[in-house]
């Protein structure tokens, strides 16, 4: 399989260890981050979506405008934009960027967060809506004649877009969510199913569940894994670096906005916390310290070690069926540069060697 690397570009320089400062949309940071990712050999960069964040579609447009080949993975929450309009917006940007757009569907696990945008649905209702939403989006991209859709959430009549995806293969749909409802929808719609950095056992289980759900619809999705690599010249120094990151994050927890919530609203976070309960260091070098501290608010587990050691651990995940790695650091700009210099080339070389040794795996 071809291995893909996705980075992360935020509106400003911040993380669990770096408190936000300056403008919420810092153009110098956005442009610098985009160019570091492109020069470092990343395939795409994720633009996140939250109920209080800058608009992901517009930020992605700027990232694409200041780069030449870097793809954008636009986090998108169904239900706040009409599906026909969202389909045309994404297809338009896909043409403007000559096929560099992918969309990451985030249905939303927190009832409280979605209420900030006026959405008072339950999680079960939201995944049912996402299922219908994606059905309409795909029809808007592909229909050769006007179509109607009458469903539980949408009543569309005479829909027909003049613009479709730039490439014949379409706009890739990435999908996140670990609940049973999410897995069922992923099986119907996901081109790439995305999960957070879990243990080998958890990843293997989830890959099997999603493959089984997709097989019912004659589909074969790819899989993405999100991690926070912590690299150093020696393993001991890498673990000392992880300890320093945890100490800093704990001291800055309230200022950075990553304080642990009283209740854990989504299944993905609960799965990471279940792993954290097994220990701070799992498998070869999976570290759960930040996940435990923050309540696993998003991508919060790390692989710790030298570049060779972390590349080897990523190869283990590749062998479990992971072909995309979404990696971002606690020092966003510096870490993205180091990943491009020291980690990505090593993983690509290991995967190429793996595929030569087992030609049936390559696809």
């Amino acid at each position: 399989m071809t291995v893909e690397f996705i980075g992360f570009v935020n509106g400003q320089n911040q993380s669990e260890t770096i408190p936000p400062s300056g403008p919420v949309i810092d153009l110098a940071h956005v442009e610098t981050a985009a160019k570091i990712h492109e020069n470092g050999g990343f395939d795409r960069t994720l633009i996140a979506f939250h109920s209080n964040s800058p608009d992901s579609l517009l930020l992605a447009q700027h990232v694409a405008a200041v780069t030449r080949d870097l793809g954008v993975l636009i986090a998108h929450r169904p239900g706040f934009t009409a599906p026909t309009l969202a389909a045309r917006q994404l297809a338009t940007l896909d043409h403007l960027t000559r096929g560099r757009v992918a969309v990451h569907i985030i249905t939303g696990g927190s009832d409280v967060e979605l209420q900030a945008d006026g959405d008072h649905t339950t999680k079960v209702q939201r995944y049912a809506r996402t299922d219908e939403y994606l059905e309409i989006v795909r029809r808007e991209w592909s229909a050769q004649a006007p179509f109607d859709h009458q469903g539980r959430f949408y009543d569309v009549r005479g829909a027909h877009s003049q613009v479709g995806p730039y490439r014949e293969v379409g706009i890739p749909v990435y999908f996140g969510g670990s609940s049973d409802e999410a897995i069922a929808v992923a099986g119907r719609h996901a081109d790439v199913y995305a999960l957070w950095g879990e243990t080998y056992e958890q990843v293997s289980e989830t890959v099997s569940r999603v493959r089984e759900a997709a097989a019912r619809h004659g589909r074969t999705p790819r899989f993405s894994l999100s991690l926070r690599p912590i690299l150093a010249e020696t393993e001991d120094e890498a673990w000392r670096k992880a300890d320093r990151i945890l100490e800093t994050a704990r001291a800055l927890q309230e200022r950075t906005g990553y304080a642990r919530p009283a209740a854990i609203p989504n299944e993905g976070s609960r799965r990471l916390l279940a792993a954290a309960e097994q220990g701070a260091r799992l498998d070869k070098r999976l570290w759960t310290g930040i996940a435990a501290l923050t309540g696993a608010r998003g991508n919060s587990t790390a692989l710790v070690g030298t570049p060779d050691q972390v590349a080897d651990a990523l190869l283990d995940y590749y062998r479990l069926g992971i072909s995309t790695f979404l990696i971002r650091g606690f020092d966003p700009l510096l870490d993205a540069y180091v990943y491009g210099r020291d980690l990505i080339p090593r993983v690509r070389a290991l995967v190429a060697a793996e595929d030569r040794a087992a030609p049936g795996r390559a696809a």
Side-chain angles (χ1 to χ4, degrees):
M1 293 182 289
T2 301
V3 67
E4 177 186 50
F5 284 93
I6 301 177
F8 180 80
V9 173
N10 198 17
Q12 60 184 170
N13 191 39
Q14 70 173 105
S15 74
E16 295 89 338
T17 62
I18 300 175
S21 63
V24 174
I25 300 177
D26 183 340
L27 283 180
H29 170 76
V30 171
E31 294 170 8
T32 300
K35 291 172 183 177
I36 286 174
H37 281 85
E38 179 161 59
N39 292 337
F42 285 82
D43 298 281
R44 300 186 183 278
T45 183
L46 172 67
I47 315 295
F49 181 103
H50 302 285
S51 63
N52 61 351
S53 64
D55 184 80
S56 57
L57 185 71
L58 295 178
L59 271 181
Q61 182 178 14
H62 191 66
V63 168
V66 299
T67 56
R68 185 173 182 176
D69 300 310
L70 183 68
V72 288
L73 177 58
I74 304 169
H76 179 76
R77 186 169 287 169
F80 299 94
T81 304
T84 49
L85 174 58
R88 295 196 302 276
Q89 289 173 328
L90 291 165
T92 300
L93 185 57
D94 199 38
H95 277 264
L96 292 173
T97 62
R98 289 178 170 79
R100 289 191 277 154
V101 167
V103 62
H104 188 22
I105 299 298
I106 306 292
T107 299
S110 169
D111 294 350
V112 173
E113 187 200 355
L114 271 79
Q115 288 167 11
D117 278 328
D119 190 318
H120 298 271
T121 56
T122 65
K123 183 168 71 171
V124 171
Q125 290 171 329
R126 288 195 294 275
Y127 276 109
R129 182 177 64 189
T130 293
D131 187 18
E132 191 174 333
Y133 188 95
L134 287 174
E135 180 181 343
I136 296 169
V137 166
R138 288 194 182 278
R139 290 188 71 182
E140 183 81 352
W141 282 340
S142 63
Q144 299 301 307
F147 68 90
D148 299 339
H149 172 96
Q150 289 184 298
R152 177 180 172 188
F153 299 95
Y154 299 101
D155 185 354
V156 174
R157 304 181 188 186
H160 185 222
S161 176
Q162 294 180 354
V163 58
Y166 179 77
R167 301 183 191 280
E168 187 175 341
V169 294
I171 294 173
V173 174
Y174 293 63
F175 190 95
S178 298
S179 65
D180 290 341
E181 296 86 359
I183 297 295
V185 178
R188 284 189 285 273
H189 296 289
D191 297 313
V192 183
Y193 176 82
L195 60 159
W196 288 331
E198 301 180 342
T199 65
Y200 296 149
E201 181 180 1
Q202 288 175 311
V203 169
S204 181
E205 174 207 3
T206 299
V207 167
S208 295
R209 288 175 65 203
V210 174
R211 281 177 173 164
E212 182 179 346
R216 300 189 190 109
H217 305 278
R219 307 184 70 254
T220 306
R222 294 181 292 116
F223 293 89
S224 171
L225 191 72
S226 299
L227 289 157
R228 312 286 291 275
I230 298 174
L231 307 178
E233 290 187 3
T234 69
E235 182 174 7
D236 287 345
E237 176 54 31
W239 284 112
R240 286 193 293 270
K241 185 176 178 180
D243 289 340
R244 291 194 298 271
I245 287 170
L246 183 59
E247 290 171 7
T248 303
R250 184 178 287 113
L252 295 177
Q253 197 169 50
E254 295 297 333
R255 289 180 62 198
T256 56
Y258 287 99
R260 180 166 178 151
I264 308 300
N266 62 82
E267 183 62 23
S269 293
R270 287 192 285 268
R271 287 177 64 89
L272 290 190
L273 291 175
E277 289 174 0
Q278 300 175 39
R281 301 185 186 188
L282 302 173
D283 294 334
K284 283 181 178 178
R285 51 197 65 264
L286 183 68
W287 181 58
T288 64
I290 294 294
L293 177 71
T294 63
R297 296 183 62 179
N299 178 8
S300 52
T301 51
L303 293 177
V304 181
T306 68
D308 284 329
Q309 289 172 329
V310 171
D312 179 69
L314 291 174
L315 182 65
D316 288 338
Y317 284 114
Y318 176 77
R319 290 167 174 158
L320 295 176
I322 304 298
S323 59
T324 293
F325 295 104
L326 197 163
I327 54 176
R328 65 184 179 99
F330 295 98
D331 188 341
L333 297 181
L334 177 60
D335 286 343
Y337 170 78
V338 171
Y339 297 159
R341 184 190 66 188
D342 296 337
L343 184 60
I344 290 176
R346 283 173 164 85
V347 178
R348 292 196 192 280
L350 288 175
V351 167
E354 181 82 3
D355 288 345
R356 286 195 299 271
R361 181 193 297 274

